[in-house]
Amino acid sequence: MNWHSPGTLRGWAIPAATDIAFALGVLALLGSRVPVSLKIFLTALAIIDNLGAVLIIAAFYTADLSLPMLGGAAVTFAVLYGLNKAGVSRLLPYLLLGVVLWQFVLKSGVHTIIAGVLVALTIPLRPSIGKPDDPTSPLHKLEHTIHPWSAYLVLPIFGFANAGVSLSGFDPHMLLDPVTLGVALGLLLGKQLGVFGFVLAAVKLGLAQRPSRASCAQVYGVALLCGIGFTMSLFIGLLAFAKNPALEAETKIGVLVGSLTCMILGALVLLFSPPVARPKRSPVP
């Protein structure tokens, strides 16, 4: 839709991320009709493609880079990594160096969202013997400490700040503008073709198995739900068209139209998809 327009093609990454909260909310409303394996699959996929969106922001939506500041960030990250390898388990050194890293990243021109990911990668998460993770590890302690602030204060403010769509200047022709169509179709067609297509390819090639007790139709329904963009998509749109309010408005309309369409269609597919029968147990002799 925007191939021949370099100015609007800058928004190519807007449909990249999946909004975890909305997508899982739809699955929660469907209850037991959706197997647990699909909920795990959607959660993992949404987390991974949001991390991918973070990398895209760092690589493609940054200001002029400052090599000295990038060097300072690299040295700080190396020190954090060294603390991890040295077995330092106190959180304070990681948090203090995290502030330093954030400052270097801010001054480097790379978006500061990458600083939080880098700090989190270095905080120790030591597995206990026989357990998948250790609830007493520094990373778990930090997660449980900041979770209420993140979930009930930071995230709502972030979502509210990025989701504000003023419809006062809305004109129906905006629905057919290249940016609006590109974003909406990227979410609706791109995500379902990408997710469902790669799942089928992985299963056919023997690289993976379909989520247990999930039919192809149910996997397709989840692929549709992956087109729910909202928060991160709006955030990338604001970065891509920071100096163009008209394109920002078209981006927001495209995200809303595409996300709502994916939400409705995905819910309908999952609602009317017959569940996979449980395997019969052999009678006890």
Side-chain angles (χ1 to χ4, degrees):
M1 291 294 171
N2 297 271
W3 185 251
H4 300 292
S5 175
T8 59
L9 191 60
R10 182 169 167 75
W12 63 272
I14 293 172
T18 299
D19 195 294
I20 302 174
F22 281 104
L24 290 179
V26 174
L27 291 188
L29 289 174
L30 294 170
S32 60
R33 293 192 65 87
V34 180
V36 175
S37 62
L38 276 183
K39 297 176 182 178
I40 296 172
F41 170 75
L42 177 59
T43 303
L45 189 146
I47 290 172
I48 291 169
D49 74 1
N50 275 278
L51 288 175
V54 169
L55 295 177
I56 288 172
I57 290 171
F60 298 99
Y61 295 99
T62 60
D64 295 332
L65 295 179
S66 169
L67 293 181
M69 293 297 107
L70 278 178
V75 171
T76 307
F77 178 71
V79 175
L80 284 165
Y81 181 77
L83 290 177
N84 183 297
K85 287 300 181 182
V88 177
S89 59
R90 294 185 60 193
L91 275 172
L92 185 59
Y94 294 96
L95 298 180
L96 292 177
L97 285 171
V99 174
V100 175
L101 177 63
W102 180 87
Q103 185 68 18
F104 275 127
V105 172
L106 173 66
K107 297 297 184 180
S108 72
V110 176
H111 200 279
T112 51
I113 195 171
I114 199 70
V117 177
L118 293 176
V119 174
L121 287 173
T122 63
I123 298 176
L125 176 64
R126 296 187 179 87
S128 298
I129 298 175
K131 295 181 180 179
D133 52 32
D134 183 0
T136 64
S137 68
L139 188 61
H140 272 84
K141 290 180 179 178
L142 180 62
E143 178 189 1
H144 291 303
T145 301
I146 67 174
H147 178 265
W149 297 95
S150 174
Y152 302 118
L153 180 63
V154 177
L155 189 59
I157 292 175
F158 177 79
F160 179 79
N162 287 294
V165 180
S166 174
L167 299 179
S168 57
F170 172 75
D171 192 310
H173 84 270
M174 294 175 70
L175 291 171
L176 299 178
D177 284 345
V179 171
T180 306
L181 287 175
V183 172
L185 293 176
L187 292 169
L188 177 61
L189 298 181
K191 293 303 280 289
Q192 62 169 298
L193 289 175
V195 174
F196 189 63
F198 272 97
V199 169
L200 284 184
V203 173
K204 293 292 185 182
L205 294 173
L207 301 175
Q209 293 181 344
R210 199 168 61 223
S212 62
R213 296 189 56 242
S215 65
C216 280
Q218 289 175 319
V219 174
Y220 175 67
V222 167
L224 278 168
L225 294 184
C226 289
I228 302 175
F230 285 124
T231 310
M232 191 61 97
S233 294
L234 292 171
F235 183 52
I236 296 175
L238 292 177
L239 294 176
F241 306 124
K243 299 180 180 179
N244 195 323
L247 293 182
E248 285 183 7
E250 292 176 14
T251 297
K252 292 175 180 179
I253 294 171
V255 169
L256 290 174
V257 170
S259 297
L260 289 173
T261 304
C262 290
M263 186 183 298
I264 294 170
L265 293 179
L268 289 174
V269 170
L270 290 169
L271 184 63
F272 292 105
S273 297
V276 175
R278 292 178 179 270
K280 294 182 179 180
R281 294 181 178 180
S282 57
V284 178

